[in-house]
Protein backbone atom coordinates (compact mmCIF):
# COMPACT_ATOMS: atom_id res chain seq x y z
CA UNK A 1 0.00 0.00 0.00
CA UNK A 2 1.07 3.57 -0.58
CA UNK A 3 0.38 7.10 0.63
CA UNK A 4 -0.73 6.06 4.11
CA UNK A 5 -2.09 8.84 6.32
CA UNK A 6 -3.50 8.93 9.85
CA UNK A 7 -6.50 10.99 10.91
CA UNK A 8 -7.30 11.42 14.60
CA UNK A 9 -10.63 12.52 16.04
CA UNK A 10 -11.29 15.47 18.32
CA UNK A 11 -12.53 14.89 21.89
CA UNK A 12 -16.17 15.33 20.86
CA UNK A 13 -15.69 12.83 17.99
CA UNK A 14 -17.06 15.22 15.36
CA UNK A 15 -13.97 15.87 13.20
CA UNK A 16 -11.18 13.65 11.84
CA UNK A 17 -7.96 15.68 11.40
CA UNK A 18 -4.94 14.49 9.41
CA UNK A 19 -1.73 14.18 11.44
CA UNK A 20 0.99 15.98 9.46
CA UNK A 21 3.62 16.46 12.15
CA UNK A 22 3.73 20.21 11.45
CA UNK A 23 2.54 23.06 13.65
CA UNK A 24 1.67 23.25 17.34
CA UNK A 25 -1.10 20.67 17.04
CA UNK A 26 0.81 18.47 14.53
CA UNK A 27 -2.02 18.95 12.01
CA UNK A 28 -0.94 22.07 10.12
CA UNK A 29 -1.93 21.88 6.45
CA UNK A 30 -3.76 18.57 6.85
CA UNK A 31 -7.17 17.48 5.61
CA UNK A 32 -10.31 17.54 7.76
CA UNK A 33 -13.32 15.27 7.52
CA UNK A 34 -16.53 15.45 9.46
CA UNK A 35 -17.38 12.19 11.19
CA UNK A 36 -21.04 12.44 10.25
CA UNK A 37 -21.83 11.84 6.61
CA UNK A 38 -18.37 10.87 5.28
CA UNK A 39 -16.75 7.58 4.36
CA UNK A 40 -13.84 8.11 6.79
CA UNK A 41 -16.44 8.91 9.45
CA UNK A 42 -18.31 5.67 8.66
CA UNK A 43 -15.09 3.65 9.13
CA UNK A 44 -14.56 5.47 12.44
CA UNK A 45 -18.07 5.09 13.87
CA UNK A 46 -18.68 1.53 12.67
CA UNK A 47 -15.14 0.39 13.61
CA UNK A 48 -15.06 -1.45 10.27
CA UNK A 49 -12.79 -0.85 7.26
CA UNK A 50 -14.32 0.90 4.27
CA UNK A 51 -13.06 0.55 0.71
CA UNK A 52 -13.35 2.82 -2.33
CA UNK A 53 -12.48 1.38 -5.74
CA UNK A 54 -11.81 3.57 -8.77
CA UNK A 55 -10.71 1.54 -11.79
CA UNK A 56 -7.67 -0.52 -10.82
CA UNK A 57 -6.79 1.64 -7.82
CA UNK A 58 -8.41 1.41 -4.44
CA UNK A 59 -8.35 3.26 -1.15
CA UNK A 60 -8.93 1.80 2.30
CA UNK A 61 -10.16 3.66 5.37
CA UNK A 62 -9.35 1.51 8.41
CA UNK A 63 -10.30 2.37 12.01
CA UNK A 64 -7.46 3.00 14.46
CA UNK A 65 -8.31 1.54 17.86
CA UNK A 66 -6.68 1.31 21.28
CA UNK A 67 -8.42 -1.72 22.67
CA UNK A 68 -12.08 -0.73 22.33
CA UNK A 69 -11.42 3.03 22.26
CA UNK A 70 -11.70 4.63 18.81
CA UNK A 71 -8.84 7.02 18.03
CA UNK A 72 -9.27 7.77 14.33
CA UNK A 73 -8.70 6.19 10.92
CA UNK A 74 -5.83 5.15 8.66
CA UNK A 75 -6.13 5.94 4.95
CA UNK A 76 -4.01 3.89 2.54
CA UNK A 77 -4.06 3.66 -1.25
CA UNK A 78 -3.21 0.56 -3.22
CA UNK A 79 0.21 0.74 -4.83
CA UNK A 80 0.37 1.42 -8.55
CA UNK A 81 -0.33 -1.72 -10.55
CA UNK A 82 -1.80 -3.65 -7.62
CA UNK A 83 -5.43 -4.61 -8.10
CA UNK A 84 -7.95 -4.77 -5.30
CA UNK A 85 -8.09 -8.58 -5.52
CA UNK A 86 -4.37 -8.83 -4.71
CA UNK A 87 -4.77 -6.99 -1.40
CA UNK A 88 -7.92 -8.83 -0.32
CA UNK A 89 -5.80 -11.98 0.08
CA UNK A 90 -3.50 -10.23 2.56
CA UNK A 91 -6.01 -8.31 4.66
CA UNK A 92 -7.75 -9.85 7.65
CA UNK A 93 -11.12 -11.38 6.81
CA UNK A 94 -13.03 -8.46 8.42
CA UNK A 95 -11.35 -5.93 6.11
CA UNK A 96 -12.95 -7.55 3.08
CA UNK A 97 -16.58 -7.07 4.11
Amino acid sequence: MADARIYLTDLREQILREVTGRGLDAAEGGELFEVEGTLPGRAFTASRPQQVVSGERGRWWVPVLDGTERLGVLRADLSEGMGVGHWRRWLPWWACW
Side-chain angles (χ1 to χ4, degrees):
M1 295 198 151
D3 196 23
R5 299 177 185 201
I6 294 178
Y7 298 77
L8 297 178
T9 189
D10 62 334
L11 291 175
R12 294 177 14 195
E13 296 187 348
Q14 295 177 335
I15 300 289
L16 290 163
R17 181 180 307 268
E18 181 183 3
V19 176
T20 62
R22 295 184 306 269
L24 293 176
D25 63 358
E28 182 180 300
E31 290 181 287
L32 294 174
F33 291 98
E34 290 190 27
V35 170
E36 189 173 324
T38 65
L39 189 63
R42 186 181 322 150
F44 174 76
T45 57
S47 295
R48 305 232 353 137
Q50 301 293 315
Q51 178 186 15
V52 178
V53 178
S54 176
E56 281 298 306
R57 294 195 53 107
R59 172 171 288 172
W60 286 92
W61 293 94
V62 181
V64 175
L65 308 172
D66 180 16
T68 59
E69 183 179 356
R70 299 178 299 189
L71 302 177
V73 293
L74 166 74
R75 185 197 91 183
D77 296 337
L78 293 179
S79 299
E80 193 68 39
M82 293 294 191
V84 174
H86 172 83
W87 288 106
R88 284 184 181 257
R89 289 183 296 162
W90 301 105
L91 292 171
W93 68 269
W94 51 262
C96 299
W97 293 101

